[in-house]
């Protein structure tokens, strides 16, 4: 068969050199691949084996001649290889790399190189107009569907505005339409096969993230990932960086990095799933994967507008038919518009985020709520851009309203615009007092040490007494407060928070504990928790 040498290829660090070749397989399908220079080591049969497996016809006695031909070619053209999709290059050399092509202008030809058999998930079928008329049109009036598709348009914008990666999670019962929303979002980039599952190892998720960089990653069935690593996996995806690993010489390997927004779905939230193995999800992980109730509140699961279908089941079937026919054309169209308008995008997106925050949060909102709001705002703004550029066919304001609706649903499930970690701290202290208030706290009025009839408190935590109003206050021994009541938190942070909320008395000077006269123990420093901890407050 005819074998053309097109260019010499290397990665972004000018390593991993190879030869870019082109040929036709027996089905007359054009193949273009990079033969790594290391495959010529020894007898070089690894190189000819790669060509044979891809369909190049080589006469048995000609293999060494083919190897010699490849090694002696010195083309002037150069190409770059990468195992990461998305944006590469800078300024006027900015290109968006896809598995089978690249969008944009660059002095180097960019090639996507991945050993996975399903590496090209960005397939397309039908025209953009067909996708707009048959897929995007069904999102209208459905906040969860519109928001899901908007997330797909938001992912390529992360790099331009230097925003961190992050995720969203649709939580709801079986057959509520969650997976349909994921298919709709994935149709922006590729076929239904674009949908991934949570069932994976750390290494597998890292590879998946690289092949979805600057694009949406859709992950179904959260329960399929081991609950012991679910929180760490969400952190890893949102932090945009793989684990640091050692190379064969003991040094650190190059760490894989990516940018993406991911949309997950499951019957449980991340914190509920992790709690099944007795672990607690850090507030940071919940912020990185914002939990959105899938139920839109209309008795139709994820759906609000069935577009004339009799029920949610029939509507979901129609969505499935649509995404199987038309997919993958919206992302390239969006990227082309981003390249044309990227100079003005940064300011317009910043303005959209400010407008979104004013519409959804008060001045008392915590930094946590503001951080998540920025991610929702980006999705809404991206959907509006796609509408302005004629990609979605939606009415102006549709995407932003869907983002606001979903954000308010998240905010309510999150517990308000306050700090989640602070709420968790207070809840943990309350839970301890509720669980052990009678069993482990001695009544200070009855604690007469020399009276043999005095009730004995086993594994004592401290004392409790009723104040003049008949309400209980607690005196906690320092070590118990530090190791048990505040387990998993810095006890100083918990104590300062309780003092700030007037739930605890402060000691003198810088001391967090006041001195109190305790029966049979004299004056000791203890953590003095007040009855106000049971009051109603907006944490």
């Amino acid at each position: 068969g005819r074998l053309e040498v097109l260019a010499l290829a290397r990665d972004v660090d000018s390593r991993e050199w190879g030869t870019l070749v082109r040929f036709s397989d027996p089905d007359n399908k054009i193949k273009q691949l990079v033969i790594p220079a290391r495959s010529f080591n020894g007898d070089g049969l690894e190189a000819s084996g790669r060509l044979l497996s891809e369909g190049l016809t080589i006469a048995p006695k000609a293999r060494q001649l083919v190897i010699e031909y490849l090694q002696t070619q010195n083309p002037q053209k150069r190409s770059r290889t990468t195992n990461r999709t998305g944006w590469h290059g800078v300024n006027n050399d900015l290109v968006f790399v896809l598995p089978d092509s690249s969008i944009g202008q660059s002095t180097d030809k960019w090639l996507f190189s991945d050993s996975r058999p399903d590496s090209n998930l960005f397939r397309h079928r039908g025209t953009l107009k067909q996708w707009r008329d048959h897929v995007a049109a069904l999102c209208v009036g459905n906040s969860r569907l519109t928001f899901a598709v908007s997330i797909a348009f938001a992912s390529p914008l992360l790099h331009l505005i230097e925003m961190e990666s992050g995720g969203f999670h649709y939580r709801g019962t079986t057959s509520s339409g969650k997976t349909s929303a994921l298919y709709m979002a994935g149709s922006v980039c590729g076929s239904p096969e674009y949908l991934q599952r949570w069932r994976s190892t750390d290494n597998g998720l890292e590879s998946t993230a690289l092949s979805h960089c600057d694009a949406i990653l859709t992950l179904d069935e959260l329960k399929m990932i081991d609950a012991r690593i679910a929180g760490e996996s969400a952190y890893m995806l949102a932090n945009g960086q793989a684990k640091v690993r050692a190379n064969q010489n003991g040094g650190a390997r190059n760490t894989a990095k990516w940018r993406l927004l991911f949309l997950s779905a499951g019957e449980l939230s991340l914190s509920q799933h992790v709690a099944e193995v007795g672990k607690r999800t850090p507030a940071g992980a919940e912020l990185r994967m914002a939990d959105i109730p899938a139920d839109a509140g209309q008795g139709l699961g994820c759906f609000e507008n069935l577009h004339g279908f009799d029920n949610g089941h029939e509507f979901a079937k129609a969505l499935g038919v649509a995404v199987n026919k038309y997919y993958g054309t919206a992302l390239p169209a969006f990227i082309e518009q981003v390249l044309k308008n990227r100079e003005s995008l940064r300011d317009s997106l910043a303005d959209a985020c400010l407008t979104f925050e004013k519409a959804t949060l008060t001045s008392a909102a915590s930094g946590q709520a503001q951080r998540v709001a920025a991610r929702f705002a980006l999705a809404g703004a991206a959907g509006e851009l796609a509408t302005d550029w004629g990609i979605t066919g939606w009415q102006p304001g549709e995407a932003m309203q869907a983002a606001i609706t979903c954000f308010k649903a998240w905010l309510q499930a999150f517990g308000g615009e306050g700090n989640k970690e602070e709420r968790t701290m207070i809840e943990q202290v309350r839970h301890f007092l509720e669980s052990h208030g009678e069993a482990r706290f001695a009544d200070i009025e009855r604690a007469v040490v020399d009276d043999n009839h005095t009730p004995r408190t086993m594994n004592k935590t401290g004392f409790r007494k009723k104040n003049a109003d008949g309400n209980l206050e607690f005196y906690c021994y320092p070590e118990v407060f530090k190791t048990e009541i505040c387990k998993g938190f810095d006890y100083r942070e918990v104590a300062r928070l309780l003092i700030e909320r007037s739930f605890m008395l402060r000691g003198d000077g810088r001391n967090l504990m006041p001195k109190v006269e305790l029966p049979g123990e004299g004056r000791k420093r203890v953590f003095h928790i007040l009855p106000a901890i049971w009051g109603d407050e907006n944490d």
Side-chain angles (χ1 to χ4, degrees):
R2 179 180 174 82
L3 179 64
E4 297 178 79
V5 174
L6 303 179
L8 293 181
R10 72 280 195 222
D11 66 15
V12 292
D13 298 318
S14 289
R15 302 174 63 184
E16 298 297 327
W17 283 81
T19 305
L20 176 63
V21 299
R22 182 171 61 197
F23 58 91
S24 298
D25 66 13
D27 290 333
N28 288 322
K29 183 178 179 180
I30 301 296
K31 297 289 183 69
Q32 188 169 288
L33 71 150
V34 175
I35 306 299
R38 63 175 178 272
S39 68
F40 295 114
N41 193 35
D43 57 14
L45 292 180
E46 182 184 342
S48 60
R50 177 81 187 277
L51 291 167
L52 287 167
S53 69
E54 290 291 336
L56 179 66
T57 303
I58 305 177
K61 295 182 180 180
R63 292 177 189 174
Q64 288 297 335
L65 294 174
V66 170
I67 294 168
E68 182 180 348
Y69 163 68
L70 292 174
Q71 286 190 281
T72 55
Q73 296 303 296
N74 187 27
Q76 297 302 309
K77 290 185 178 180
R78 297 288 184 268
S79 295
R80 294 279 183 191
T81 59
T82 178
N83 63 346
R84 179 170 61 85
T85 60
W87 297 110
H88 290 79
V90 293
N91 301 327
N92 294 329
D93 261 1
L94 193 64
V95 296
F96 194 94
V97 177
L98 292 169
D100 58 355
S101 63
S102 61
I103 305 171
Q105 299 296 322
S106 174
T107 53
D108 281 318
K109 179 181 176 63
W110 283 87
L111 304 168
F112 182 74
S113 175
D114 193 343
S115 59
R116 300 193 319 165
D118 59 345
S119 59
N120 186 11
L121 300 171
F122 295 79
R123 302 183 181 94
H124 58 85
R125 182 180 181 187
T127 66
L128 176 60
K129 183 179 185 303
Q130 288 173 321
W131 178 85
R132 181 173 61 236
D133 294 344
H134 297 280
V135 179
L138 295 177
C139 295
V140 174
N142 291 290
S143 60
R144 270 54 175 181
L145 300 183
T146 301
F147 184 66
V149 170
S150 296
I151 296 169
F153 291 122
S155 282
L157 301 178
L158 291 176
H159 175 54
L160 301 182
I161 61 174
E162 299 175 358
M163 183 182 284
E164 63 185 358
S165 298
F168 307 89
H169 177 70
Y170 281 165
R171 168 183 46 83
T173 57
T174 304
S175 301
S176 61
K178 306 182 303 297
T179 302
S180 293
L182 267 59
Y183 278 128
M184 296 290 277
S187 73
V188 172
C189 304
S191 72
E193 294 175 6
Y194 189 88
L195 179 66
Q196 303 293 300
R197 299 294 191 277
W198 272 106
R199 186 179 179 86
S200 178
T201 62
D202 287 350
N203 287 354
L205 273 180
E206 290 172 11
S207 176
T208 299
L210 283 171
S211 63
H212 289 76
C213 182
D214 290 319
I216 187 174
L217 170 59
T218 50
L219 292 164
D220 201 10
E221 300 296 350
L222 177 64
K223 66 182 178 183
M224 294 178 72
I225 190 171
D226 190 333
R228 290 169 294 183
I229 64 169
E232 290 83 351
S233 297
Y235 255 117
M236 180 189 71
L237 288 175
N239 287 343
Q241 184 169 310
K243 289 181 178 180
V244 177
R245 295 182 174 86
N247 59 27
Q248 60 186 2
N249 299 319
R253 294 183 191 174
N254 288 338
T255 304
K257 295 181 180 179
W258 56 80
R259 296 170 301 267
L260 57 79
L261 292 178
F262 61 95
L263 177 60
S264 164
E267 297 173 27
L268 301 176
S269 67
L270 178 65
S271 58
Q272 289 170 336
H273 186 45
V274 171
E276 290 183 338
V277 291
K279 296 178 69 176
R280 187 180 68 222
T281 307
E286 293 186 71
L287 293 174
R288 286 166 172 80
M289 191 167 108
D291 182 68
I292 306 169
D295 191 342
Q298 300 298 315
L300 301 170
C302 275
F303 311 134
E304 295 145 282
N305 181 352
L306 299 181
H307 290 264
F309 289 90
D310 293 337
N311 51 55
H313 176 66
E314 293 299 321
F315 184 54
K317 285 173 59 179
L319 296 178
V321 170
V323 298
N324 271 280
K325 285 185 177 180
Y326 314 110
Y327 51 77
T329 53
L331 180 66
F334 187 79
I335 296 300
E336 288 174 1
Q337 290 295 330
V338 169
L339 287 168
K340 291 178 183 176
N341 299 279
R342 67 179 186 268
E343 298 299 329
S344 60
L345 281 180
R346 183 185 292 269
D347 290 339
S348 63
L349 290 172
D351 292 341
C353 288
L354 288 174
T355 302
F356 184 93
E357 188 174 318
K358 289 179 181 178
T360 54
L361 296 174
T362 69
S363 57
S366 67
Q368 292 180 341
Q370 292 174 341
R371 180 179 172 186
V372 177
R375 198 183 316 142
F376 277 83
L378 178 64
E384 292 300 322
L385 284 174
T387 298
D388 291 344
W389 294 334
I391 296 172
T392 65
W394 301 335
Q395 291 297 312
E398 177 96 16
M400 189 58 78
Q401 185 54 53
I404 291 173
T405 299
C406 290
F407 176 74
K408 288 182 177 178
W410 168 81
L411 195 63
Q412 183 176 5
F414 186 70
E417 59 184 23
N419 186 291
K420 179 66 175 285
E421 243 167 1
E422 292 180 354
R423 283 199 300 276
T424 305
M425 289 177 186
I426 294 171
E427 288 166 2
Q428 183 165 310
V429 175
R430 286 176 180 154
H431 177 70
F432 187 92
L433 299 180
E434 288 170 345
S435 302
H436 306 291
E438 292 188 10
R440 296 184 61 184
F441 288 89
D443 286 326
I444 206 164
E445 290 88 353
R446 303 179 64 190
V448 181
V449 177
D450 58 358
D451 183 355
N452 291 330
H453 299 289
T454 302
R456 299 296 177 182
T457 304
M458 304 302 293
N459 196 16
K460 191 165 71 173
T461 299
F463 293 86
R464 66 177 188 165
K465 78 169 184 179
K466 287 186 178 180
N467 62 12
D469 297 324
N471 298 315
L472 288 172
E473 48 191 82
F474 297 84
Y475 303 94
C476 305
Y477 291 145
E479 290 309 313
V480 177
F481 184 85
K482 296 175 185 178
T483 60
E484 291 190 54
I485 298 178
C486 300
K487 185 178 180 180
F489 294 107
D490 183 338
Y491 80 91
R492 301 176 190 83
E493 294 298 320
V494 178
R496 292 189 186 103
L497 174 63
L498 295 177
I499 291 168
E500 179 187 309
R501 300 289 180 89
S502 300
F503 297 163
M504 179 186 282
L505 280 183
R506 188 183 184 90
D508 52 335
R510 293 186 177 181
N511 206 306
L512 296 172
M513 297 176 285
K515 277 190 174 182
V516 177
E517 188 73 32
L518 300 177
E521 300 183 19
R523 289 181 63 79
K524 294 180 67 173
R525 289 197 182 274
V526 291
F527 288 97
H528 185 179
I529 300 176
L530 301 172
I533 196 169
W534 306 110
D536 294 328
E537 80 294 317
N538 296 316
D539 302 334

